[in-house]
Amino acid sequence: MKDFSNKVLLADDIPAIEGEAFNPIDKKQLIIIYLRIVILFIILSGALLAIIFLSDEIPPIKAIIGISSGILLFILYNIIITILGFPKKGYLVRENDISYQKGLIRFKQVSVPFNRIQHVEVNQGVLARYLKISTLKLFTAGGAASDLSIHGLPADVAQNLKAFLSEKISRHE
């Protein structure tokens, strides 16, 4: 029988993750993000054009300029956030867990202990397959959706991480 221990840890005794160097996401992921922004621009512009050409009366020019300006500002905002926020994305594998961080305005850092992982998956869309990048998805108990998704990993790194994590979680079972 194991000796049970549940020592109190002070804030100074807890290992910090902030000092660790996170592995960056492949810059090819930016192509997919920019493509999504372009598609969003096309959809919003198409909706505006549909309103203009399908309505019985032509909307006032001020309304058209205002909506067009709003669409352009929204797209510009997304591009700037993508450019500034992308370097903040990264993952870190430690002895007992895997962590992922992202965000510029709303920073988020998620750590998943290996002993909580139930399933590991590697996904590639059509463009991601062409760019040779993948998404690693980690699932923990209690949900159908992934608990952690790391987009933009080089395909070989994603497969190696999947094999490594699968080996780790099989030891915990």
Side-chain angles (χ1 to χ4, degrees):
M1 184 169 192
K2 282 184 158 180
D3 290 334
F4 178 75
S5 173
N6 195 10
K7 296 179 185 176
V8 173
L9 294 177
L10 301 175
D12 295 339
D13 297 333
I14 299 171
I17 197 169
E18 286 80 23
E20 302 291 337
F22 278 69
N23 300 298
I25 301 303
D26 195 315
K27 291 190 187 300
K28 293 176 195 170
Q29 181 68 21
L30 278 171
I31 295 170
I32 294 173
I33 296 170
Y34 289 141
L35 184 60
R36 289 179 183 157
I37 292 172
V38 167
I39 290 170
L40 179 63
F41 176 74
I42 291 169
I43 291 170
L44 292 175
S45 299
L48 177 61
L49 289 173
I51 290 170
I52 291 170
F53 291 115
L54 296 177
S55 63
D56 293 334
E57 295 180 21
I58 297 176
I61 193 73
K62 287 183 180 181
I64 294 171
I65 291 173
I67 294 171
S68 299
S69 298
I71 290 171
L72 288 175
L73 285 173
F74 180 69
I75 296 301
L76 184 62
Y77 168 80
N78 277 292
I79 291 170
I80 290 170
I81 292 299
T82 298
I83 291 169
L84 297 176
F86 191 79
K88 306 276 186 213
K89 293 182 178 189
Y91 68 96
L92 177 66
V93 180
R94 299 188 301 172
E95 266 185 272
N96 298 309
D97 63 13
I98 184 167
S99 299
Y100 178 65
Q101 68 179 16
K102 68 177 182 175
L104 180 66
I105 294 174
R106 193 175 67 108
F107 183 76
K108 182 178 182 179
Q109 190 174 70
V110 178
S111 294
V112 178
F114 297 145
N115 65 353
R116 302 297 301 156
I117 299 172
Q118 299 286 316
H119 174 69
V120 182
E121 213 173 79
V122 173
N123 293 331
Q124 281 184 315
V126 175
L127 185 57
R129 190 174 309 124
Y130 175 76
L131 296 172
K132 296 180 175 61
I133 58 176
S134 299
T135 298
L136 180 74
K137 291 186 176 187
L138 306 178
F139 298 84
T140 61
S146 65
D147 294 297
L148 178 61
S149 294
I150 305 174
H151 301 275
L153 294 173
D156 58 333
V157 171
Q159 289 297 338
N160 290 342
L161 271 172
K162 179 185 177 197
F164 172 77
L165 292 172
S166 294
E167 171 67 25
K168 283 283 196 183
I169 63 177
S170 69
R171 286 190 210 156
H172 288 289
E173 293 179 330

